[in-house]
Amino acid sequence: ADWREHSDVLGVAATGSGKTIIFLSLLLDHVLVSGKRGLILAHRQELISQPVERIAVLWPEWSPRVGIVMAEQDECDGQLTVATIQTLANQTRLARLVAAGPIDYVITDEVHHCVAKTYRGVYTALRDANPDLRHLGVTATPIRTDKDGLKKVFAKVSFKAGIKELISLGH
Protein backbone atom coordinates (compact mmCIF):
# COMPACT_ATOMS: atom_id res chain seq x y z
CA ALA A 1 0.00 0.00 0.00
CA ASP A 2 2.87 2.40 0.72
CA TRP A 3 3.97 2.14 -2.91
CA ARG A 4 0.85 4.11 -3.86
CA GLU A 5 2.29 7.16 -2.07
CA HIS A 6 6.05 6.54 -2.04
CA SER A 7 8.38 5.19 -4.70
CA ASP A 8 11.03 4.03 -2.20
CA VAL A 9 10.02 2.13 0.94
CA LEU A 10 11.97 0.20 3.56
CA GLY A 11 11.20 -3.06 5.32
CA VAL A 12 13.04 -4.05 8.49
CA ALA A 13 12.86 -7.60 9.80
CA ALA A 14 15.05 -9.71 12.01
CA THR A 15 17.52 -12.20 10.59
CA GLY A 16 15.69 -15.45 9.87
CA SER A 17 12.27 -13.78 9.80
CA GLY A 18 11.60 -14.61 6.17
CA LYS A 19 12.46 -11.39 4.34
CA THR A 20 13.07 -13.38 1.14
CA ILE A 21 9.60 -14.94 1.26
CA ILE A 22 8.06 -11.54 2.09
CA PHE A 23 9.60 -9.79 -0.90
CA LEU A 24 9.07 -12.72 -3.26
CA SER A 25 5.36 -12.82 -2.39
CA LEU A 26 5.15 -9.10 -3.02
CA LEU A 27 6.98 -9.39 -6.33
CA LEU A 28 4.89 -12.30 -7.53
CA ASP A 29 1.71 -10.35 -6.73
CA HIS A 30 2.88 -7.10 -8.35
CA VAL A 31 5.20 -8.24 -11.12
CA LEU A 32 4.71 -11.66 -12.56
CA VAL A 33 0.92 -11.67 -12.35
CA SER A 34 0.65 -8.24 -14.00
CA GLY A 35 3.25 -8.83 -16.70
CA LYS A 36 5.56 -6.13 -15.34
CA ARG A 37 9.28 -6.57 -14.70
CA GLY A 38 11.08 -6.90 -11.41
CA LEU A 39 14.66 -6.88 -10.19
CA ILE A 40 16.15 -8.28 -7.02
CA LEU A 41 19.46 -6.62 -6.28
CA ALA A 42 22.02 -7.96 -3.79
CA HIS A 43 25.73 -7.92 -3.14
CA ARG A 44 26.58 -11.60 -2.54
CA GLN A 45 26.07 -14.80 -4.53
CA GLU A 46 24.22 -16.40 -1.61
CA LEU A 47 21.64 -13.61 -1.75
CA ILE A 48 21.24 -14.19 -5.50
CA SER A 49 20.80 -17.95 -5.15
CA GLN A 50 18.37 -17.75 -2.24
CA PRO A 51 15.36 -16.20 -4.03
CA VAL A 52 15.93 -18.30 -7.16
CA GLU A 53 15.91 -21.47 -5.03
CA ARG A 54 12.82 -20.37 -3.07
CA ILE A 55 10.92 -19.68 -6.31
CA ALA A 56 11.88 -23.10 -7.69
CA VAL A 57 10.47 -24.82 -4.59
CA LEU A 58 7.48 -22.65 -3.68
CA TRP A 59 6.43 -21.21 -7.05
CA PRO A 60 7.97 -23.53 -9.68
CA GLU A 61 5.63 -22.24 -12.39
CA TRP A 62 7.47 -18.89 -12.21
CA SER A 63 10.99 -20.35 -12.54
CA PRO A 64 11.10 -20.03 -16.36
CA ARG A 65 10.48 -16.27 -16.00
CA VAL A 66 13.50 -15.72 -13.73
CA GLY A 67 16.90 -14.67 -15.04
CA ILE A 68 20.23 -14.21 -13.27
CA VAL A 69 22.69 -11.44 -14.08
CA MET A 70 25.94 -12.17 -12.28
CA ALA A 71 29.46 -12.79 -13.53
CA GLU A 72 29.15 -14.95 -16.69
CA GLN A 73 25.37 -15.30 -16.36
CA ASP A 74 23.59 -12.67 -18.44
CA GLU A 75 19.89 -13.57 -18.49
CA CYS A 76 18.75 -9.96 -18.90
CA ASP A 77 15.36 -10.66 -20.42
CA GLY A 78 13.73 -12.39 -17.45
CA GLN A 79 10.46 -10.96 -16.21
CA LEU A 80 12.14 -11.19 -12.82
CA THR A 81 15.88 -10.71 -12.77
CA VAL A 82 18.13 -11.41 -9.81
CA ALA A 83 21.43 -9.55 -10.08
CA THR A 84 24.48 -8.51 -8.13
CA ILE A 85 25.18 -4.84 -7.68
CA GLN A 86 28.75 -5.47 -8.79
CA THR A 87 27.55 -6.73 -12.17
CA LEU A 88 24.95 -4.02 -12.74
CA ALA A 89 27.44 -1.32 -11.79
CA ASN A 90 28.94 -2.12 -15.20
CA GLN A 91 27.14 0.28 -17.56
CA THR A 92 27.09 -2.22 -20.42
CA ARG A 93 25.42 -4.89 -18.31
CA LEU A 94 22.92 -2.42 -16.87
CA ALA A 95 22.09 -1.12 -20.36
CA ARG A 96 21.39 -4.71 -21.54
CA LEU A 97 19.03 -5.26 -18.61
CA VAL A 98 17.10 -2.04 -19.32
CA ALA A 99 17.08 -2.71 -23.09
CA ALA A 100 14.99 -5.83 -22.40
CA GLY A 101 12.31 -3.53 -20.95
CA PRO A 102 12.07 -1.09 -18.09
CA ILE A 103 12.11 -2.41 -14.55
CA ASP A 104 8.91 -1.65 -12.64
CA TYR A 105 9.84 -3.00 -9.19
CA VAL A 106 13.21 -3.29 -7.47
CA ILE A 107 13.93 -5.14 -4.27
CA THR A 108 17.30 -4.48 -2.66
CA ASP A 109 18.32 -7.16 -0.18
CA GLU A 110 20.63 -6.13 2.66
CA VAL A 111 19.76 -2.58 1.75
CA HIS A 112 21.91 -1.00 4.44
CA HIS A 113 24.59 -0.92 1.70
CA CYS A 114 22.42 1.17 -0.64
CA VAL A 115 23.88 4.60 0.12
CA ALA A 116 27.04 3.56 -1.73
CA LYS A 117 27.72 5.28 -5.04
CA THR A 118 27.35 2.03 -7.02
CA TYR A 119 23.83 1.38 -5.73
CA ARG A 120 22.74 4.99 -6.18
CA GLY A 121 24.01 4.96 -9.78
CA VAL A 122 22.01 1.82 -10.60
CA TYR A 123 18.88 3.27 -8.98
CA THR A 124 19.26 6.47 -11.00
CA ALA A 125 19.64 4.58 -14.28
CA LEU A 126 16.63 2.38 -13.53
CA ARG A 127 14.50 5.39 -12.59
CA ASP A 128 15.64 7.25 -15.72
CA ALA A 129 14.32 4.30 -17.75
CA ASN A 130 11.09 4.18 -15.72
CA PRO A 131 10.13 7.20 -13.60
CA ASP A 132 7.32 5.11 -12.04
CA LEU A 133 9.82 2.61 -10.59
CA ARG A 134 8.92 1.25 -7.15
CA HIS A 135 11.67 0.18 -4.76
CA LEU A 136 11.58 -1.87 -1.57
CA GLY A 137 14.72 -2.24 0.47
CA VAL A 138 14.90 -4.95 3.14
CA THR A 139 17.37 -5.33 5.96
CA ALA A 140 17.79 -6.62 9.49
CA THR A 141 20.21 -3.79 10.28
CA PRO A 142 18.80 -0.39 9.28
CA ILE A 143 21.27 1.59 11.39
CA ARG A 144 24.62 1.98 9.72
CA THR A 145 27.76 2.24 11.83
CA ASP A 146 28.92 5.23 9.79
CA LYS A 147 25.60 6.98 10.55
CA ASP A 148 24.99 7.52 6.82
CA GLY A 149 21.21 7.37 6.80
CA LEU A 150 18.91 5.29 4.67
CA LYS A 151 16.66 8.37 4.52
CA LYS A 152 18.77 9.40 1.53
CA VAL A 153 17.05 6.62 -0.40
CA PHE A 154 13.79 5.72 1.39
CA ALA A 155 10.75 7.87 2.09
CA LYS A 156 9.00 5.52 4.50
CA VAL A 157 9.52 2.45 6.68
CA SER A 158 6.71 0.17 5.54
CA PHE A 159 7.18 -2.61 8.03
CA LYS A 160 9.23 -3.64 11.05
CA ALA A 161 9.28 -7.16 12.43
CA GLY A 162 11.51 -7.74 15.43
CA ILE A 163 12.32 -11.00 17.20
CA LYS A 164 9.99 -10.28 20.18
CA GLU A 165 7.12 -9.33 17.90
CA LEU A 166 7.55 -12.43 15.76
CA ILE A 167 7.71 -14.71 18.82
CA SER A 168 4.57 -13.12 20.26
CA LEU A 169 2.83 -13.83 16.94
CA GLY A 170 3.78 -17.51 17.22
CA HIS A 171 6.64 -17.61 14.73
Side-chain angles (χ1 to χ4, degrees), residues 15 126 145:
T15 301
L126 293 172
T145 56

Side-chain angles (χ1 to χ4, degrees), residues 98-149:
V98 173
I103 300 296
D104 300 290
Y105 294 92
V106 174
I107 306 294
T108 303
D109 201 356
E110 302 231 355
V111 77
H112 49 277
H113 297 287
C114 78
V115 296
K117 185 178 177 182
T118 52
Y119 280 89
R120 307 270 312 259
V122 169
Y123 299 148
T124 298
L126 293 172
R127 187 148 280 127
D128 287 347
N130 181 4
D132 294 325
L133 177 77
R134 294 296 182 247
H135 180 203
L136 168 67
V138 295
T139 185
T141 54
I143 310 236
R144 293 171 47 97
T145 56
D146 65 2
K147 308 297 184 213
D148 202 359

